[in-house]
PDB file of all heavy atoms in Angstrom:
ATOM      1  N   LEU B 165      13.320  -3.815   5.510  1.00 98.00           N
ATOM      2  CA  LEU B 165      14.178  -2.678   5.841  1.00 98.00           C
ATOM      3  C   LEU B 165      14.372  -1.760   4.632  1.00 98.00           C
ATOM      4  O   LEU B 165      14.203  -0.540   4.727  1.00 98.00           O
ATOM      5  CB  LEU B 165      15.537  -3.199   6.329  1.00 98.00           C
ATOM      6  CG  LEU B 165      16.561  -2.156   6.787  1.00 98.00           C
ATOM      7  CD1 LEU B 165      16.062  -1.390   8.000  1.00 98.00           C
ATOM      8  CD2 LEU B 165      17.891  -2.843   7.113  1.00 98.00           C
ATOM      9  N   ALA B 166      14.689  -2.358   3.489  1.00 97.00           N
ATOM     10  CA  ALA B 166      14.968  -1.572   2.283  1.00 97.00           C
ATOM     11  C   ALA B 166      13.744  -0.798   1.828  1.00 97.00           C
ATOM     12  O   ALA B 166      13.859   0.245   1.191  1.00 97.00           O
ATOM     13  CB  ALA B 166      15.457  -2.490   1.159  1.00 97.00           C
ATOM     14  N   ASN B 167      12.546  -1.301   2.166  1.00 97.00           N
ATOM     15  CA  ASN B 167      11.321  -0.637   1.750  1.00 97.00           C
ATOM     16  C   ASN B 167      10.654   0.167   2.867  1.00 97.00           C
ATOM     17  O   ASN B 167       9.511   0.604   2.721  1.00 97.00           O
ATOM     18  CB  ASN B 167      10.349  -1.670   1.169  1.00 97.00           C
ATOM     19  CG  ASN B 167      10.854  -2.201  -0.166  1.00 97.00           C
ATOM     20  OD1 ASN B 167      10.703  -1.563  -1.199  1.00 97.00           O
ATOM     21  ND2 ASN B 167      11.521  -3.345  -0.130  1.00 97.00           N
ATOM     22  N   GLY B 168      11.371   0.335   3.964  1.00 97.00           N
ATOM     23  CA  GLY B 168      10.861   1.171   5.047  1.00 97.00           C
ATOM     24  C   GLY B 168       9.637   0.604   5.746  1.00 97.00           C
ATOM     25  O   GLY B 168       8.856   1.340   6.343  1.00 97.00           O
ATOM     26  N   ILE B 169       9.469  -0.711   5.672  1.00 98.00           N
ATOM     27  CA  ILE B 169       8.285  -1.345   6.265  1.00 98.00           C
ATOM     28  C   ILE B 169       8.513  -1.680   7.736  1.00 98.00           C
ATOM     29  O   ILE B 169       7.677  -1.391   8.582  1.00 98.00           O
ATOM     30  CB  ILE B 169       7.934  -2.622   5.465  1.00 98.00           C
ATOM     31  CG1 ILE B 169       7.524  -2.233   4.040  1.00 98.00           C
ATOM     32  CG2 ILE B 169       6.826  -3.422   6.149  1.00 98.00           C
ATOM     33  CD1 ILE B 169       7.583  -3.366   3.044  1.00 98.00           C
ATOM     34  N   ALA B 170       9.611  -2.299   8.040  1.00 98.00           N
ATOM     35  CA  ALA B 170       9.912  -2.724   9.415  1.00 98.00           C
ATOM     36  C   ALA B 170      11.429  -2.837   9.569  1.00 98.00           C
ATOM     37  O   ALA B 170      12.147  -2.991   8.590  1.00 98.00           O
ATOM     38  CB  ALA B 170       9.263  -4.077   9.714  1.00 98.00           C
ATOM     39  N   VAL B 171      11.904  -2.723  10.805  1.00 98.00           N
ATOM     40  CA  VAL B 171      13.322  -2.929  11.100  1.00 98.00           C
ATOM     41  C   VAL B 171      13.422  -4.128  12.040  1.00 98.00           C
ATOM     42  O   VAL B 171      13.107  -4.015  13.229  1.00 98.00           O
ATOM     43  CB  VAL B 171      13.972  -1.686  11.756  1.00 98.00           C
ATOM     44  CG1 VAL B 171      15.471  -1.912  11.950  1.00 98.00           C
ATOM     45  CG2 VAL B 171      13.726  -0.437  10.929  1.00 98.00           C
ATOM     46  N   ILE B 172      13.760  -5.276  11.489  1.00 98.00           N
ATOM     47  CA  ILE B 172      13.853  -6.508  12.275  1.00 98.00           C
ATOM     48  C   ILE B 172      15.230  -7.115  12.038  1.00 98.00           C
ATOM     49  O   ILE B 172      15.645  -7.290  10.891  1.00 98.00           O
ATOM     50  CB  ILE B 172      12.781  -7.557  11.855  1.00 98.00           C
ATOM     51  CG1 ILE B 172      11.407  -6.929  11.636  1.00 98.00           C
ATOM     52  CG2 ILE B 172      12.749  -8.716  12.835  1.00 98.00           C
ATOM     53  CD1 ILE B 172      10.559  -6.741  12.851  1.00 98.00           C
ATOM     54  N   HIS B 173      15.945  -7.411  13.108  1.00 97.00           N
ATOM     55  CA  HIS B 173      17.271  -8.020  12.988  1.00 97.00           C
ATOM     56  C   HIS B 173      17.347  -9.313  13.781  1.00 97.00           C
ATOM     57  O   HIS B 173      16.663  -9.474  14.788  1.00 97.00           O
ATOM     58  CB  HIS B 173      18.346  -7.068  13.513  1.00 97.00           C
ATOM     59  CG  HIS B 173      18.616  -5.903  12.614  1.00 97.00           C
ATOM     60  ND1 HIS B 173      19.364  -6.014  11.471  1.00 97.00           N
ATOM     61  CD2 HIS B 173      18.228  -4.604  12.689  1.00 97.00           C
ATOM     62  CE1 HIS B 173      19.439  -4.817  10.887  1.00 97.00           C
ATOM     63  NE2 HIS B 173      18.750  -3.954  11.601  1.00 97.00           N
ATOM     64  N   LYS B 174      18.222 -10.181  13.330  1.00 96.00           N
ATOM     65  CA  LYS B 174      18.549 -11.367  14.114  1.00 96.00           C
ATOM     66  C   LYS B 174      19.603 -10.953  15.121  1.00 96.00           C
ATOM     67  O   LYS B 174      20.558 -10.254  14.787  1.00 96.00           O
ATOM     68  CB  LYS B 174      19.101 -12.455  13.203  1.00 96.00           C
ATOM     69  CG  LYS B 174      19.408 -13.748  13.928  1.00 96.00           C
ATOM     70  CD  LYS B 174      19.794 -14.851  12.968  1.00 96.00           C
ATOM     71  CE  LYS B 174      19.845 -16.185  13.687  1.00 96.00           C
ATOM     72  NZ  LYS B 174      20.926 -16.265  14.689  1.00 96.00           N
ATOM     73  N   LYS B 175      19.419 -11.387  16.357  1.00 94.00           N
ATOM     74  CA  LYS B 175      20.426 -11.074  17.369  1.00 94.00           C
ATOM     75  C   LYS B 175      21.663 -11.931  17.145  1.00 94.00           C
ATOM     76  O   LYS B 175      21.558 -13.083  16.733  1.00 94.00           O
ATOM     77  CB  LYS B 175      19.876 -11.379  18.769  1.00 94.00           C
ATOM     78  CG  LYS B 175      18.811 -10.415  19.223  1.00 94.00           C
ATOM     79  CD  LYS B 175      18.511 -10.645  20.693  1.00 94.00           C
ATOM     80  CE  LYS B 175      17.339  -9.811  21.142  1.00 94.00           C
ATOM     81  NZ  LYS B 175      17.032 -10.028  22.559  1.00 94.00           N
TER      82      LYS B 175
END
Side-chain angles (χ1 to χ4, degrees):
Chain B
L165 183 63
N167 290 280
I169 295 161
V171 184
I172 317 276
H173 287 283
K174 183 173 190 293
K175 289 190 187 180

